[in-house]
Amino acid sequence: METSETIVVNGGHHLEGDVQIAGAKNSVLKLMAASVMASGQTCIHNVPDISDVSVMQEVLKALGAQVSTEDDQDGGGHTLYIDTADLTTYVTPYDLVAQMRASISILGPLIARFGRARVAMPGGCRIGARSLDLHISSLESLGVTFDMDHGYIQAEAPDGLSSCEVLLDYPSVGATENLMMAATVADGDTHISNAAREPEIADLADFLNGMGADVEGAGSPNIVIHGVKELHPTEHTTVGDRIEAGTFLVAGALCGGPVHARGIDPDFLALPLKKLAQMGCDIETNDDVITVSRNGDIEPVDLQTLPHPGFPTDLQAQFMVLSSLAQGNSIVTENVFENRFMFASELGRMGADIRIDAHHALISGVDHLEGAPVEASDLRGGAALVLAGLAAEGESRVSHVEYIDRGYEDFVGKLRGLGAGVTRVPAPAD
């Protein structure tokens, strides 16, 4: 990835106001992939304007889809039209897929549409190995055969897709989604046990059912997919992004608030909201609004990341910033991705007192952070460093903004709308 910009943060500003939460990155990319299973034009509303969506659009275009966008009349979420009537290939280009981990989600839909797929090995953030073994073994249960060939995954279902019963070793979101999508057109009923339970799984199931699929139990550990003969295009509105919402709520907790995150179901963030309350924040919720504010000290808290409904790994870095300013010691345990603490050394450059011991981060709260030049190494860690800059004394400069652009629409603009002293500037020449 290359970038020509840096985010400059002047800390110490009080944050308050409303922020509109975009559609969920971790949902819309899978909805876009699923659209290839039907022939015709599918319409998806509340699509975030982020670089990962742009990459997925290019993947779909490379397959032969016609893709166009338009802004909603109210200026809110964006609408995406995907016409898959004339797909020309089941091969995805290496240069695009290598940019983004979520591109592996095209595997199941291509198998469902063509009975075969050739998908490049995916890339993305440098936060861990994230093996594809579960994806492959699950789809093998449906009758798919695989061959690895020079950086590509070659998949075929020579006898069609047949129903199966799959017990996942781990509730992998990606494996659950790929299996669920492919199984929609399998012969018979497919049962997934120990399925991922994230809200984005339920959103995908709603999308698939809108296409004529018959999926039951999404959002629970047990999903049943009754195979159908064919799917048709649909119209769907993406759920709000719980990770974006959580990021802005942490910003409010760091800088006073009240910050009102609009367009998000509070149930999606039940455990993070509980942790914010334990850390001394005042929390209010409505149907699709969460408000956070803080007047007293930040209290220390221990947390460990787990699959949903556990604490989300994608909010671990943001909460570590908050813990670094707590009145006492906290322990953060990372159980999902082995390299998720890479940003901690950058936070240490700002004065945080963090010691890494295997998959535990031992955090001793300090009375203030100091602005410093820091470097984002992944999407969520990059956003967390910007949050740290908001609470720090002086100026911070966060480089490698391209990571942040993968998952946050107009991150700087939304923070400025809350009163933050933050701008994007050209990166200095080496």
Side-chain angles (χ1 to χ4, degrees):
M1 292 184 182
E2 299 292 337
T3 185
S4 59
E5 292 184 302
T6 292
I7 293 180
V8 179
V9 189
N10 289 293
H13 292 256
H14 181 86
L15 265 58
E16 62 178 294
D18 291 13
V19 59
Q20 182 64 40
I21 301 305
K25 165 191 178 290
N26 290 332
S27 184
V28 74
L29 297 173
K30 320 307 171 59
L31 306 183
M32 294 171 69
S35 71
V36 308
M37 295 193 295
S39 178
Q41 181 172 277
T42 284
C43 175
I44 307 174
H45 300 292
N46 201 26
V47 176
D49 183 9
I50 56 176
S51 62
D52 270 13
V53 165
S54 298
V55 172
M56 184 61 86
Q57 288 185 48
E58 294 305 312
V59 170
L60 294 175
K61 290 177 182 177
L63 295 171
Q66 302 295 315
V67 184
S68 60
T69 61
E70 69 177 26
D71 289 336
D72 292 348
Q73 291 182 351
D74 62 2
H78 312 288
T79 295
L80 186 65
Y81 297 95
I82 306 171
D83 190 336
T84 60
D86 299 313
L87 294 189
T88 56
T89 181
Y90 53 85
V91 180
T92 62
Y94 182 87
D95 60 325
L96 291 173
V97 175
Q99 297 179 36
M100 184 178 65
R101 175 71 185 188
S103 54
I104 192 63
S105 62
I106 201 72
L107 181 61
L110 285 177
I111 294 170
R113 175 78 179 257
F114 293 106
R116 61 186 61 192
R118 182 172 169 84
V119 177
M121 296 289 285
C125 285
R126 300 171 293 178
I127 55 174
R130 300 200 279 188
S131 171
L132 299 179
D133 291 352
L134 275 179
H135 295 256
I136 291 171
S137 62
S138 298
L139 290 169
E140 283 177 336
S141 299
L142 287 174
V144 182
T145 61
F146 287 91
D147 184 36
M148 303 303 169
D149 178 31
H150 299 289
Y152 279 85
I153 302 169
Q154 181 77 36
E156 293 191 29
D159 300 317
L161 297 171
S162 300
S163 61
C164 61
E165 295 188 4
V166 175
L167 172 60
L168 293 176
D169 293 344
Y170 177 85
S172 161
V173 173
T176 299
E177 291 166 335
N178 253 324
L179 179 57
M180 188 166 68
M181 288 187 285
T184 58
V185 294
D187 182 20
D189 298 341
T190 297
H191 296 253
I192 308 175
S193 299
N194 198 29
R197 300 164 60 182
E198 275 72 3
E200 295 80 16
I201 297 288
D203 196 37
L204 175 59
D206 288 343
F207 181 83
L208 294 172
N209 287 340
M211 297 174 73
D214 188 354
V215 180
E216 298 178 349
S220 79
N222 300 293
I223 300 176
V224 180
I225 305 102
H226 306 284
V228 298
K229 294 298 184 182
E230 62 180 6
L231 301 173
H232 55 73
T234 190
E235 183 173 0
H236 183 85
T237 299
T238 313
V239 295
D241 193 315
R242 61 196 171 99
I243 306 304
E244 184 194 20
T247 300
F248 282 104
L249 293 172
V250 171
L254 282 166
C255 303
V259 167
H260 312 277
R262 300 189 177 276
I264 184 68
D265 186 339
D267 289 343
F268 291 179
L269 288 167
L271 190 50
L273 294 181
K274 177 182 177 181
K275 292 297 182 181
L276 283 174
Q278 291 174 353
M279 298 179 84
C281 299
D282 295 319
I283 308 294
E284 296 180 10
T285 61
N286 206 326
D287 289 344
D288 63 348
V289 182
I290 305 172
T291 300
V292 64
S293 58
R294 180 182 60 84
N295 295 309
D297 293 334
I298 300 173
E299 299 297 328
V301 70
D302 295 342
L303 63 87
Q304 58 176 322
T305 65
L306 289 168
H308 191 79
F311 191 92
T313 182
D314 281 353
L315 285 177
Q316 176 254 99
Q318 299 89 315
F319 271 74
M320 190 182 295
V321 173
L322 196 56
S323 295
S324 71
L325 290 167
Q327 300 293 304
N329 300 324
S330 305
I331 301 176
V332 174
T333 302
E334 175 56 55
N335 295 311
V336 180
F337 294 131
E338 65 268 24
N339 292 338
R340 203 105 216 203
F341 289 147
M342 286 192 301
F343 90 105
S345 60
E346 296 297 290
L347 192 56
R349 290 163 59 88
M350 304 177 72
D353 185 352
I354 303 172
R355 182 167 63 88
I356 305 300
D357 182 8
H359 64 127
H360 305 287
L362 312 176
I363 307 162
S364 299
V366 296
D367 60 6
H368 72 282
L369 297 175
E370 297 180 354
V374 290
E375 179 178 316
S377 58
D378 65 89
L379 167 57
R380 306 306 174 182
L385 290 172
V386 175
L387 298 190
L390 297 175
E393 297 178 357
E395 181 184 278
S396 299
R397 302 177 72 91
V398 183
S399 60
H400 288 290
V401 176
E402 70 274 12
Y403 283 110
I404 298 172
D405 291 340
R406 289 189 52 227
Y408 292 92
E409 176 180 330
D410 192 20
F411 192 47
V412 165
K414 290 183 178 182
L415 286 172
R416 288 174 64 88
L418 298 174
V422 56
T423 56
R424 290 178 71 129
V425 301
D430 291 338

